[in-house]
């Protein structure tokens, strides 16, 4: 039976560029780069925890279906916005949502949605 959640698979034509976007621009570590030449890479905060698993669709095919929106937590979204803007990310500033938390939404180079969140969806 199912014992844990491993992560979300993303397929891209340029695995190294997508891994670089998450690692260098957003600051999410790459704890595992497998198979050589970025045929696969795990983006996350620990190799043993769930993460984003990025695959080279030129080699493995494109298996992502539907809309993907990834959500990351931030302790200070205003500070994170300023840091990302300084690194060259083109996005709108954070907005306070009706549930009380702050959100900032943008897309990665492959068009996957990203939400940065300060304050939990549910308390």
């Amino acid at each position: 039976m199912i014992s844990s959640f491993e992560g979300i698979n993303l397929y891209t034509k340029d695995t190294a560029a997508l891994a670089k976007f998450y690692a260098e621009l957003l600051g999410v570590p790459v704890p595992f780069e497998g198979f050589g030449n970025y045929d696969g890479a795990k983006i996350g905060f620990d190799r043993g925890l769930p993460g984003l698993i990025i695959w080279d669709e030129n080699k493995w095919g494109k298996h992502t279906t539907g809309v993907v929106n990834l959500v990351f937590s931030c302790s200070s979204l205003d500070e994170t916005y300023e840091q990302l803007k300084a690194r060259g990310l083109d996005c709108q500033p954070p907005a306070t949502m009706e549930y009380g938390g702050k959100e900032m939404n943008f897309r990665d180079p492959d068009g996957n949605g990203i939400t940065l969140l300060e304050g939990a969806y549910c308390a």
Side-chain angles (χ1 to χ4, degrees):
M1 292 304 300
I2 296 172
S3 62
S4 67
F5 177 68
E6 182 66 23
I8 297 171
N9 285 330
L10 297 178
Y11 293 84
T12 179
K13 292 181 181 185
D14 191 342
T15 310
L18 195 59
K20 182 178 178 180
F21 171 84
Y22 283 97
E24 294 181 13
L25 192 107
L26 298 186
V28 180
V30 181
F32 175 73
E33 192 274 299
F35 314 111
N37 299 317
Y38 279 98
D39 283 351
K42 184 171 186 178
I43 309 299
F45 296 94
D46 185 296
R47 185 175 176 162
L49 295 176
L52 302 176
I53 303 142
I54 299 174
W55 297 104
D56 181 353
E57 76 177 56
N58 300 304
K59 180 175 183 176
W60 303 105
K62 184 168 180 74
H63 299 283
T64 304
T65 59
V67 176
V68 175
N69 191 76
L70 309 167
V71 181
F72 296 94
S73 295
C74 300
S75 58
S76 172
L77 193 48
D78 291 326
E79 287 177 21
T80 300
Y81 168 71
E82 293 300 329
Q83 291 168 352
L84 294 177
K85 197 166 87 171
R87 293 179 188 168
L89 182 67
D90 182 21
C91 64
Q92 297 297 312
T96 301
M97 307 306 287
E98 63 183 67
Y99 65 85
K102 282 186 178 179
E103 289 186 11
M104 185 172 86
N105 296 284
F106 54 95
R107 297 201 175 276
D108 74 13
D110 282 2
N112 298 301
I114 297 174
T115 298
L116 299 185
L117 171 68
E118 178 185 330
Y121 284 136
C122 43

